[in-house]
Amino acid sequence: MNELLLKGIMAFGHHLAAFCLFAALVYEWILIRKTFDLSTAQALLKTDQIYGLSAIAVLLFGLARVFHFEKGADYYFHSLPFLIKITLFALVGLISAYPTMTFLSWRKLLKQHQLPALSERRLQHLRLIIQLELLALIAILLCAALMAKGVGYLA
C-alpha cells in the first residue's frame, strides 16, 4: 500500500476515534444532567462503553502514528505540547475510572430492569468528573493544534 495513503488512513482513524470519544463524553455529560431513571442509567452504561472503546482506538492509532508513521518518536517526545497532551490523556483515563466503575456496577440491576441507587453526592461527583474530562479533552485539542504547528518543540 502507498505509504502516503497509509499515513492518511492512520490519521483518519485517529481523528475519527477522537471525535467518537469526545461525542460519547458530551453525551454522558448530557445524560448525567437529566433526571436519573432506568433509561438514563442504561444509556450511560452503553455510552461509557463506546467512550472506552474510542479511547483505546485513539491510543492505538496514536501510538502507531508516533512510532511508525508521521515524524517519528524522537520528534514527538521533544514536543512540549505532545508531552502535555499524553499526560492529559493519561489523567483523563485515570479519572474516568470512577464513572466507569460506577456504571459497570449497575449492570446486574439494569439487566433486571431495576434502577441503581445513586445518591445526590455521587451524582455530583460523576458530573464534576465528566466536566473535568471534557475540559481536559479540550486542552488536548489545543495541544494537538500547537504540536502540529511545531510550537513548543524542545531542541
Side-chain angles (χ1 to χ4, degrees):
M1 182 179 286
N2 179 315
E3 184 179 343
L4 192 57
L5 177 61
L6 191 53
K7 284 182 179 182
I9 291 169
M10 296 304 289
F12 172 75
H14 187 70
H15 295 137
L16 180 62
F19 281 114
C20 289
L21 181 143
F22 193 78
L25 192 59
V26 166
Y27 191 54
E28 279 188 21
W29 181 66
I30 291 167
L31 288 169
I32 202 75
R33 297 173 61 215
K34 292 176 65 175
T35 302
F36 186 69
D37 58 20
L38 188 60
S39 66
T40 300
Q42 290 168 332
L44 280 166
L45 178 61
K46 289 176 186 173
T47 304
D48 198 64
Q49 291 169 345
I50 294 167
Y51 177 64
L53 291 172
S54 297
I56 291 167
V58 166
L59 181 62
L60 293 177
F61 277 110
L63 289 173
R65 293 181 75 202
V66 166
F67 291 105
H68 301 291
F69 302 98
E70 306 306 325
K71 298 172 184 163
D74 189 53
Y75 173 84
Y76 289 107
F77 286 104
H78 283 89
S79 167
L80 185 58
F82 176 78
L83 296 172
I84 294 169
K85 181 179 160 181
I86 60 171
T87 301
L88 286 171
F89 189 81
L91 288 173
V92 168
L94 288 173
I95 66 172
S96 74
Y98 180 78
T100 296
M101 297 309 291
T102 299
F103 303 150
L104 288 174
S105 73
W106 300 346
R107 285 184 297 188
K108 185 176 179 183
L109 288 172
L110 292 176
K111 283 183 183 178
Q112 298 168 354
H113 300 287
Q114 295 178 7
L115 182 64
L118 185 62
S119 69
E120 186 60 34
R121 180 181 167 109
R122 191 156 201 191
L123 185 60
Q124 288 175 350
H125 286 150
L126 290 168
R127 287 177 179 151
L128 176 63
I129 289 168
I130 291 169
Q131 287 173 337
L132 290 172
E133 288 177 84
L134 282 170
L135 289 173
L137 288 179
I138 291 168
I140 287 170
L141 290 173
L142 172 61
C143 289
L146 295 174
M147 180 185 76
K149 295 301 177 189
V151 175
Y153 186 76
L154 309 169

